[in-house]
Amino acid sequence: MGGIPDPVVSGTWTFIGIAVALSVVTIFGRCIGMVSKDTSSISLVLYWLAAFCTWLIWVCAWMHQWHPLIVPKYPGGDD
């Protein structure tokens, strides 16, 4: 028992895939001349920063639900 849980790995690859797809679209737009160099550079930074921040929020929420620190106590329980 140990290692990184499978949902975290698949979620991480999903966020990486989305960031790569957006980066490819931006680079393609730059190559065909639809987007300027400055705009594409800013877009690449923002896509990767947004992907990291949303992944961090998602993984924190997932971890908090996986092993909660506070367990509900029901009245009339046997414990």
Side-chain angles (χ1 to χ4, degrees):
M1 188 168 192
I4 301 173
D6 290 336
V8 174
V9 173
S10 62
T12 301
W13 283 113
T14 302
F15 279 101
I16 291 173
I18 291 170
V20 167
L22 290 172
S23 298
V24 167
V25 169
T26 301
I27 292 170
F28 180 73
R30 182 177 172 188
C31 288
I32 63 174
M34 289 181 61
V35 181
S36 69
K37 180 180 179 183
D38 292 336
T39 304
S40 66
S41 298
I42 291 171
S43 297
L44 288 174
V45 170
L46 290 179
Y47 290 152
W48 283 97
L49 185 62
F52 175 75
C53 290
T54 53
W55 171 83
L56 187 62
I57 290 171
W58 171 79
V59 80
C60 286
W62 193 89
M63 290 292 183
H64 286 325
Q65 293 176 20
W66 186 40
H67 289 298
L69 296 177
I70 300 172
V71 179
K73 296 180 182 178
Y74 301 104
D78 292 341
D79 50 333

